[in-house]
Amino acid sequence: MDFRVIYGCGALAASTFLVGAVSPVLAQSPAKPNILFIVSDDTGYGDLGPYGGGVGRGMPTPNIDKLADEGMTFFSFYAQPSCTPGRAAMQTGRIPNRSGMTTVAFQGQGGGLPAAEWTLASVLKRGGYQTYFTGKWHLGEADYALPIAQGYDEMKYVGLYHLNAYTYADPTWFPDMDAETRALFQKVTKGSLSGKAGGEVKEDFKINGQYVDTPVIDGKAGVVGIPFFDGYVEKAAIEFLDAASKTPDQPFFINVNFMKVHQPNLPAPEFQHKSLSKSKYADSVVELDTRIGRIMDKLRETGMDRNTLVFYTTDNGAWQDVYPDAGYTPFRGTKGTVREGGNRVPAIAVWPGKIKPDVKNHDILGGLDLMATFASAGGVPLPANDREDKPIIFDSYDMTPVLTGSGPSPRKEWFYFTENELTPGAARVGNYKAVFNLRGDNGQATGGLAVDTNLGWKGAQSYVAIVPQVFDILQDPQERYDVFMNNYTEHTWTLVSISAAIKDLMKTYVEYPPRKLQSMGYDGPIELSKYQMLQSVREQLEKEGVHIAAPTGN
């Protein structure tokens, strides 16, 4: 079976590539693989055992360590710099500005992932997959944006927001909130949701920031505190795997999304002080690892692990603005910036018989590539049109050659975006990265050492003009030594390939315009001069794309 063209942006190559026939390894298997996709929240790159964390960071992760032993660990795997765009990119295989899912919305604002978008679930359903979602969604609260409207047959114990949102109406968390605003949040905040496609959505229980676990009160929906919510996500996943084991001929795709370790980190009682560090964050990492282990134990117990592709990752880089209730990154920057610390994340894949054990991979890959990879593994061509029958572009590369060891990664570049960027705030081609948006850089150079002064989101967006910062990411992963112009040589030539990649990306916006932003914050006044520039910019894009000069340094 041949796949349609999947679009990407190469450095000096054409901006499209053809996904070939299913590899011989996959073609020999008569049964489509099940897919278990586990996503954690705000997990630091350096927190987990396979990345130098674990016991050495005071938070043992034996179950995640076991995943790494059984499969492939990725060391240059990229997400987006915050929750909503990170999850949108993974679900759609498209950079977030294409879907309009670039930033986080407050509860009550409605909206969400546009109905026209394809998701991992809606694509895999075309291949006969049973689809299931549990845990954090964070892609909107409108009916059309819920998992069961986006290709999932069933959703169970779904949380629509980040964890802090569930504390807004709690007077013990925010005693300074006025009564009218508190009443508003109490009214619009939705708790845990469950339902099946085509049916009604039920609110299972409210969620708050207390140590309380009363899902039912007097026969009605009760309240479950943040410390207990991931236990329900684990329960839903295990129940699904039990049921799926009874229909072995039906391939499934299950997406499990834990709230841990987004702050506020309130570990379940049985995990309090169970880490070596005895901190809330470390205890929460231990909880996350244990719950992942229990799900994997169930998968192995049923025997379905032999034909299941398991993929684990997190939604964005570590959030250090909320230290000490936050993750560790050895890289510069933090969540909310285009630095490595905000974008490079842990990722592990296990696929018995396809992925060799204990493989370490350093290719440039990312959450965007899960769409093409899962579709390829399931033998499903990616659609040429969106769900409203309009042409669509994917920014997803098929990783199966990397997973099976049959070929190198087709991806040579990565584009970094913050909330409102159409052109990337940074771009990596090969081992060189150009940084145009210096957001958050009033902090120290290395995120792991600079919590108190690492501004992250709080840092003003500050764009360089012609001369960006350029870093050799292989030799200098912490982005500490700008080699654009230095005392031994200049690397101005790196902008030739980087500019070409950005130009190819910008051309795609003409044929495939980004959708309307689903949520916007205030990012400065709309100036009259900028308004008048809009038409000329549109005309330039339509005629010739964007010119980015490569300065000579002279």
Side-chain angles (χ1 to χ4, degrees), residues 261-329:
V261 283
H262 191 291
Q263 65 99 9
N265 275 298
L266 301 175
E270 64 268 32
F271 295 99
Q272 287 183 297
H273 301 154
K274 289 300 187 290
S275 68
L276 300 176
S277 293
K278 312 298 183 188
S279 71
K280 290 181 179 180
Y281 181 83
D283 292 346
S284 295
V285 170
V286 171
E287 176 181 346
L288 170 67
D289 178 78
T290 302
R291 298 199 188 282
I292 290 174
R294 290 171 183 168
I295 292 172
M296 290 302 302
D297 287 345
K298 174 56 67 174
L299 187 70
R300 298 181 185 108
E301 174 191 314
T302 62
M304 295 187 296
D305 62 309
R306 293 188 292 272
N307 189 39
T308 298
L309 167 58
V310 179
F311 203 98
Y312 161 73
T313 189
T314 189
D315 56 354
N316 49 250
W319 190 5
Q320 294 195 308
D321 294 351
V322 292
Y323 181 87
D325 194 24
Y328 171 77
T329 171

Side-chain angles (χ1 to χ4, degrees), residues 332 438-447 450-456:
R332 183 172 183 168
L438 309 182
R439 185 172 184 169
D441 263 14
N442 286 342
Q444 298 265 87
T446 53
V451 176
D452 292 337
T453 54
N454 193 338
L455 297 181

Side-chain angles (χ1 to χ4, degrees), residues 52-234:
V55 173
R57 292 269 298 118
M59 49 191 90
T61 56
N63 296 293
I64 293 175
D65 296 354
K66 186 175 181 179
L67 286 179
D69 291 341
E70 295 176 344
M72 180 176 288
T73 303
F74 299 91
F75 290 87
S76 288
F77 194 88
Y78 288 94
Q80 307 298 315
S82 66
C83 300
T84 292
R87 292 168 188 275
M90 289 188 285
Q91 288 291 335
T92 66
R94 286 154 49 82
I95 54 179
N97 63 29
R98 297 199 194 278
S99 61
M101 301 298 293
T102 63
T103 190
V104 175
F106 281 95
Q107 56 264 51
Q109 288 185 308
L113 190 64
E117 290 290 326
W118 289 101
T119 64
L120 296 172
S122 56
V123 167
L124 289 171
K125 274 189 67 64
R126 291 158 61 97
Y129 276 76
Q130 178 187 5
T131 55
Y132 187 92
F133 187 95
T134 181
K136 179 177 177 176
W137 179 240
H138 215 184
L139 295 177
E141 59 186 2
D143 290 343
Y144 64 78
L146 297 180
I148 55 173
Q150 292 282 352
Y152 289 93
D153 295 319
E154 183 174 1
M155 63 182 193
K156 187 73 172 176
Y157 302 127
V158 170
L160 296 184
Y161 323 109
H162 57 81
L163 282 184
N164 257 3
Y166 295 104
T167 68
Y168 291 160
D170 189 333
T172 63
W173 281 85
F174 299 104
D176 55 331
M177 184 182 292
D178 63 272
E180 184 177 354
T181 303
R182 191 183 315 284
L184 171 65
F185 279 119
Q186 290 172 337
K187 179 180 179 180
V188 301
T189 304
K190 299 176 182 177
S192 170
L193 300 180
S194 296
K196 295 184 178 181
E200 294 184 0
V201 176
K202 179 188 71 170
E203 187 174 48
D204 307 300
F205 45 74
K206 294 291 185 182
I207 303 172
N208 69 10
Q210 305 299 322
Y211 272 84
V212 56
D213 186 17
T214 54
V216 179
I217 299 176
D218 296 332
K220 299 179 181 179
V223 180
V224 170
I226 288 172
F228 298 91
F229 185 73
D230 274 351
Y232 287 86
V233 175
E234 175 197 318

